[in-house]
Amino acid sequence: MNLPFYHFLEAVGAGWIVLGVLVVALVLAFTGAPLALWTLATALVLYGVGAPGWLWAVFGVLAVIFNLKPLRQTLVSKPLMSLMRASGFLPKISDTERTAIEAGTVWVEGELFAGKPNFHRLLRETNYPSLTEEERAFLEGPVEELCRMVDDWEVWRRRDLPPEVWQFIREKGFLGIIIPKEYGGLGFSALANSAIVQKLASRCGPLATTVMVPNSLGPAELLIHYGTQAQRDYYLPRLARGEEIPAFALTEPGAGSDAGAIQASGVVFRGEDGKLYIRLNFQKRYITLAAIATVLGLAFKLRDPENLLGKGEDVGITCALIPTNTPGVKLGMRHDPLGVPFYNCPVEGHDVVVPIDAIIGGPEWAGKGWRMLMESLAAGRGISLPASSAGGVKLIYRVTSAHAKVRRQFGLPIGVFEGIEEPLARIGGFNYLIEASRVYTCGGLDRGAKPAVVSAIMKYNTTELARQAINDGMDILGGNGISRGPRNLLAHGYIATPIGITVEGANILTRTLMIFGQGAIRCHPYAYKEISALEQGDVKAFDQAFWKHVGLVIRNGARALLLSLSRGRLARTGVSGPAARYARKLAWASATFAFLADLAMASLGGNLKRKEKLTGRFADIFSWMYLAAATMRRFEAEGRREEDRPFFDWAMQYAFARMQQAFDGLFDNLRIPGLTWFLRGPAAWWSRLNRLSTPPSDALGHRVVQRMLTPGEQRERMTAGMYVPSDPNEALGRLERAFQLAYQEDELLKKVYAALKRGELTKARPEQMVRQAVEKGILTAEEARIIQEAEAARWDAIQVDAFTLEEYQRYYNAPPAGIEPAGDGSHEAVTTPS
């Protein structure tokens, strides 16, 4: 062709030209092409359409400015930075917020927030850990034995663990799970810590709490990371041996979610001996183990009026270790957290004097207590409460599936009724998902990650899923669930559920402020860099972060559009097999989430953190992306077991349905100047028409429940790690025996009903038909005996506890075991269990 190129385009038509330009632009944006490639592509378009000279001139000036960083910084970025600083566009970050944001590390959640997750890292590089032989032996030995020693009903009735259990906990090192071996501790991994708490939680909630708290945020954790050598040498061996009982005091009447409002105070002064001391005054509450603690970790605001430490008058939040026999410390009182019998207590201190060396880390760490706490919580939230939730849900799985097989109504096991199937399927799906995320998160922690946002995701979501599971479990058990006594396996978990929702950052706060509010700054590739550059007036740093941020928004906008149109098929995930379609959807969800998050931050700026309904929805999407990734990792790591497909598919479809629900809420409520009409109109309409997923189908839920109601290897694997007693006289042992027999009975009765259908038997009561079947050789005598034994076991398993009036009053007025209540609230009146 000898025509100039623009004549060819003219012949083709303007519409096709525009379409071609749009396609090229989308491809460049989708692939995240660098600015130089955009410049070249724009030049080719201008040439192709025969652009006039003035347009070339404008393009040339802009190209030079934006491609030469020094010019861009001077002519564009610096004025823009000044405008943003003057307008207060980006949020101002307080010192406490900054410490929280900087705490820990960014792990795989950064992949999800950036809009283009690296699936090789998510599903291949990320460790899916296993226990060592030593850790496994501890679980199968001392942990198993400890579970056998504890009767949950008696613990609740007596309001405490028995003295011999306290002694066993001390002797076997349960208070030193995380303490390094060189100090006499067990030195176990995060996964082992989690597995121990999980197993104990499946047996007795107060037992699990008693063990997990000293191994979570507390003196041991802080000493390991920040203590002086002298502090570690003295305290860690004593803590590991159980010679010291630790507690950590942070929460106050006026300082819960707002820890910066701490009123506990310490004042530095020089004693008559010339040494430095701190005079402490504090009033704390909700402090686990405080009434029996021998050493108290204390968070307080330190003042130094004479500047004896050289850090100014207001030193800041500080953490110190206070022996509880120090004069002025007042212990001995207990709260009653919904009747759950673990030590949760107030503690006060009046003019308590301790040496300056009581500060954890020594005087140089004065004022750095908030950093200590945030860095420790960054990992801790991902272990203890998720492990408790996992253990509780495994127990619910085991109890409800057995009960649904054993309990009959209208002549059928209640598990065959769809009204029971629905909550049972939720329990099965949640159980698979929680275990996946528990192990996945511990793998990251054991590789050195301290992901504050992931820990918040885990704390919030696992406790909320456990709350749904226990509600479903109580509904399935009906009257068996609400009648308390030694036969009832779920009532205590139901009563205690709000505690997990509340502690270590109440769930409302965690969802609306921490997961996205903190995550939007911490996990975003550029947001925190921009804020820091603005505060420091660093034009070069701002220029680098801001324009990369602009490129990220363009890329994610294109990816969100094209992945939505193709339902994720344009994503290159490298994932094959059953997980492939979910990986494509995750890429689609990630791009859409990242794009909307940037739109929200750009339009609302610093006001976004006050729009908690919006941040809560963003948090939901972010959470379920992480949980979906963890679930895929489990399925892949366990060899893509075909028998697990129903659980895997149910969990994944539920996760994407929850994301879709949150996206719908964002489109309906997110206000972007100039774009609100589009979000609430075309975007919302398209999102609902082209959904990420619908909730799991009834048919899929049926397949999940069929596997839950079948004894065997899969059921054992799905509840692996919980405590299952072998004694048939215990509640769970009795129920398990009835479940196994009921399954055998149902298989045998199929032969009876088949013979009835063939006319070989006369319709009668079941026991009469069984006798007929034996007489006619349809069943053997042994098979008839199994049916008879199963019926007796069924009947025994569905009984509930009943008490005489005298027994009832005695049970609920029993004195505490191993500890006498303090008469006057003083420390001296308390006897530590021994």
Side-chain angles (χ1 to χ4, degrees):
M1 179 177 293
N2 55 13
L3 290 172
F5 185 58
Y6 63 87
H7 287 167
F8 167 72
L9 294 176
E10 187 178 62
V12 169
W16 287 106
I17 295 173
V18 173
L19 180 61
V21 170
L22 287 175
V23 169
V24 170
L26 281 173
V27 170
L28 291 173
F30 186 85
T31 57
L35 181 59
L37 195 55
W38 277 94
T39 304
L40 178 60
T42 305
L44 289 174
V45 170
L46 291 176
Y47 171 76
V49 299
W54 67 267
L55 188 55
W56 276 105
V58 172
F59 166 72
V61 171
L62 293 176
V64 169
I65 290 174
F66 280 93
N67 281 278
L68 295 178
K69 289 184 180 180
L71 282 177
R72 186 179 67 203
Q73 291 170 13
T74 302
L75 299 178
V76 182
S77 298
K78 186 174 182 179
L80 181 61
M81 191 174 77
S82 298
L83 178 63
M84 294 176 74
R85 292 179 70 182
S87 65
F89 175 73
L90 290 179
K92 292 182 180 179
I93 302 176
S94 67
D95 289 339
T96 53
E97 287 177 314
R98 183 179 300 279
T99 301
I101 290 169
E102 292 177 349
T105 59
V106 176
W107 184 45
V108 295
E109 71 275 27
E111 299 281 351
L112 299 169
F113 208 103
K116 190 180 180 182
N118 181 334
F119 284 90
H120 181 76
R121 185 182 182 206
L122 284 174
L123 304 183
R124 298 289 184 271
E125 290 182 1
T126 304
N127 185 35
Y128 199 77
S130 59
L131 298 170
T132 66
E133 288 300 320
E134 181 186 10
E135 292 168 342
R136 197 176 302 279
F138 189 81
L139 275 166
E140 294 171 355
V143 179
E144 184 81 7
E145 186 176 353
L146 179 57
C147 288
R148 282 197 299 268
M149 293 174 67
V150 174
D151 182 320
D152 184 59
W153 170 251
E154 285 301 312
V155 170
W156 278 67
R157 191 175 74 84
R158 301 288 295 180
R159 319 303 302 148
D160 196 3
L161 301 172
E164 61 271 19
V165 170
W166 277 102
Q167 188 63 27
F168 188 86
I169 288 172
R170 287 186 172 113
E171 290 177 354
K172 297 300 181 180
F174 280 90
L175 300 180
I177 294 171
I178 65 172
I179 295 175
K181 291 183 178 180
E182 58 263 36
Y183 295 103
L186 297 176
F188 282 170
S189 64
L191 181 65
N193 186 7
S194 171
I196 292 166
V197 172
Q198 172 185 241
K199 190 164 189 172
L200 298 179
S202 71
R203 178 59 163 173
C204 175
L207 173 65
T209 301
T210 299
V211 169
M212 81 182 187
V213 169
N215 293 289
S216 183
L217 175 65
E221 175 78 10
L222 296 174
L223 284 168
I224 290 168
H225 295 291
Y226 311 105
T228 65
Q229 192 60 53
Q231 289 171 340
R232 289 196 292 265
D233 289 342
Y234 178 78
Y235 276 111
L236 290 180
R238 296 170 64 83
L239 289 167
R241 293 191 299 265
E243 294 175 15
E244 301 277 6
I245 300 293
F248 189 81
L250 174 62
T251 306
E252 300 177 1
S257 302
D258 181 12
I262 287 175
Q263 295 297 306
S265 65
V267 179
V268 180
F269 68 97
R270 192 178 299 279
E272 294 180 359
D273 57 3
K275 297 180 181 180
L276 297 184
Y277 294 87
I278 305 172
R279 179 175 287 104
L280 296 161
N281 285 278
F282 54 89
Q283 182 182 3
K284 302 286 186 175
R285 66 180 182 181
Y286 309 148
I287 312 305
T288 302
L289 298 180
I292 59 170
T294 61
V295 59
L296 186 70
L298 182 72
F300 60 94
K301 285 185 176 178
L302 181 63
R303 292 181 60 252
D304 185 4
E306 300 177 51
N307 197 23
L308 298 172
L309 299 177
K311 296 188 175 188
E313 181 175 347
D314 293 317
V315 181
I317 295 176
T318 301
C319 295
L321 292 176
I322 317 298
T324 56
N325 60 2
T326 305
V329 175
K330 184 179 180 181
L331 301 178
M333 303 296 288
R334 291 183 68 169
H335 300 303
D336 183 11
L338 295 177
V340 182
F342 70 98
Y343 284 94
N344 188 254
C345 323
V347 56
E348 296 180 18
H350 304 284
D351 293 327
V352 178
V353 175
V354 295
I356 198 72
D357 289 338
I359 295 174
I360 298 175
E364 58 267 33
W365 277 86
K368 298 178 181 178
W370 187 238
R371 173 184 163 187
M372 290 181 181
L373 298 175
M374 290 301 98
E375 288 180 347
S376 298
L377 281 170
R381 282 195 190 98
I383 299 175
S384 298
L385 288 170
S388 297
S389 298
V393 173
K394 285 181 179 180
L395 176 65
I396 297 164
Y397 180 112
R398 196 106 185 182
V399 170
T400 55
S401 57
H403 182 82
K405 189 70 174 177
V406 169
R407 176 69 168 162
R408 279 181 172 170
Q409 290 291 274
F410 309 104
L412 297 170
I414 63 171
V416 305
F417 296 109
E418 291 191 357
I420 299 295
E421 268 193 357
E422 188 174 14
L424 264 180
R426 277 197 296 270
I427 292 168
F430 291 171
N431 179 69
Y432 187 85
L433 185 151
I434 291 173
E435 176 67 1
S437 59
R438 181 188 74 85
V439 177
Y440 187 69
T441 303
C442 286
L445 296 174
D446 281 329
R447 292 186 69 179
K450 292 184 177 181
V453 175
V454 162
S455 291
I457 287 172
M458 286 295 293
K459 188 275 171 181
Y460 168 72
N461 287 280
T462 57
T463 55
E464 288 295 341
L465 292 174
R467 171 154 60 178
Q468 175 70 68
I470 191 64
N471 285 337
D472 284 336
M474 293 291 285
D475 287 350
I476 292 167
L477 264 63
N480 288 73
I482 64 171
S483 301
R484 285 189 67 216
R487 286 175 172 264
N488 192 321
L489 291 162
L490 298 189
H492 291 161
Y494 177 79
I495 294 168
T497 291
I499 297 173
I501 299 294
T502 302
V503 300
E504 289 195 19
N507 278 6
I508 290 176
L509 162 77
T510 302
R511 173 177 177 259
T512 58
L513 294 181
M514 296 181 64
I515 294 175
F516 183 76
Q518 182 177 347
I521 298 175
R522 188 71 175 98
C523 300
H524 193 285
Y526 307 114
Y528 190 49
K529 295 176 182 177
E530 291 168 323
I531 293 171
S532 297
L534 280 173
E535 291 179 343
Q536 297 166 14
D538 188 336
V539 177
K540 185 176 180 180
F542 176 80
D543 175 87
Q544 186 175 9
F546 179 80
W547 295 109
K548 285 184 177 180
H549 191 165
V550 171
L552 182 74
V553 174
I554 294 171
R555 187 200 73 182
N556 284 332
R559 285 179 59 81
L561 174 62
L562 295 178
L563 292 178
S564 176
L565 292 171
S566 67
R567 294 195 58 77
R569 290 181 179 87
L570 290 177
R572 295 294 174 261
T573 65
V575 180
S576 60
R581 63 186 178 123
Y582 297 121
R584 291 192 294 268
K585 285 187 176 184
L586 187 57
W588 168 16
S590 176
T592 307
F593 165 82
F595 182 66
L596 288 177
D598 272 318
L599 285 183
M601 286 190 284
S603 63
L604 294 170
N607 288 324
L608 178 58
K609 66 180 181 181
R610 288 183 283 275
K611 300 292 184 181
E612 295 180 10
K613 295 174 186 176
L614 293 178
T615 60
R617 294 184 181 102
F618 277 117
D620 291 342
I621 300 167
F622 198 16
S623 293
W624 284 102
M625 286 195 297
Y626 176 77
L627 297 174
T631 303
M632 282 194 289
R633 183 69 181 97
R634 175 183 184 178
F635 185 72
E636 293 288 302
E638 293 181 350
R640 302 178 181 178
R641 294 173 181 262
E642 186 59 31
E643 66 271 26
D644 291 353
R645 277 288 301 278
F647 294 94
F648 172 65
D649 287 333
W650 194 99
M652 294 303 295
Q653 290 175 27
Y654 183 86
F656 283 108
R658 290 293 301 270
M659 292 181 220
Q660 181 63 48
Q661 181 182 10
F663 275 125
D664 291 343
L666 285 177
F667 286 126
D668 287 342
N669 294 281
L670 184 59
R671 295 187 177 186
I672 308 293
L675 288 177
T676 302
W677 67 271
F678 178 78
L679 293 175
R680 295 188 178 183
W685 173 82
W686 174 249
S687 176
R688 287 171 171 82
L689 180 67
N690 186 44
R691 303 177 71 81
L692 278 168
S693 178
T694 55
S697 68
D698 294 345
L700 179 58
H702 175 74
R703 292 196 295 274
V704 168
V705 172
Q706 287 298 103
R707 284 159 175 77
M708 293 176 70
L709 298 181
T710 304
E713 183 272 341
Q714 186 182 30
R715 187 168 185 268
E716 298 303 314
R717 187 161 44 79
M718 287 295 170
T719 55
M722 66 168 286
Y723 177 71
V724 181
S726 57
D727 185 354
N729 294 315
E730 286 201 30
L732 185 55
R734 180 187 299 113
L735 184 58
E736 281 294 311
R737 178 175 176 273
F739 171 73
Q740 298 287 341
L741 287 169
Y743 183 81
Q744 295 179 55
E745 179 188 22
D746 287 348
E747 293 300 306
L748 294 173
L749 288 177
K750 289 178 182 177
K751 297 166 66 174
V752 174
Y753 291 120
L756 178 65
K757 189 174 182 180
R758 294 192 301 268
E760 298 174 10
L761 299 176
T762 303
K763 187 173 183 179
R765 293 174 61 85
E767 61 271 18
Q768 294 172 337
M769 287 195 293
V770 169
R771 282 197 294 271
Q772 293 180 48
V774 173
E775 292 169 358
K776 296 189 176 184
I778 297 168
L779 292 177
T780 66
E782 174 61 19
E783 289 173 331
R785 185 195 64 76
I786 291 173
I787 292 175
Q788 184 178 19
E789 187 177 353
E791 284 300 311
R794 280 183 191 269
W795 182 254
D796 185 27
I798 65 172
Q799 301 306 309
V800 298
D801 297 287
F803 312 101
T804 66
L805 292 179
E806 181 183 356
E807 288 172 334
Y808 185 81
Q809 291 173 347
R810 185 170 68 248
Y811 281 160
Y812 288 95
N813 290 281
I819 183 168
E820 293 300 325
D824 59 359
S826 66
H827 176 67
E828 289 74 14
V830 177
T831 302
T832 302
S834 60

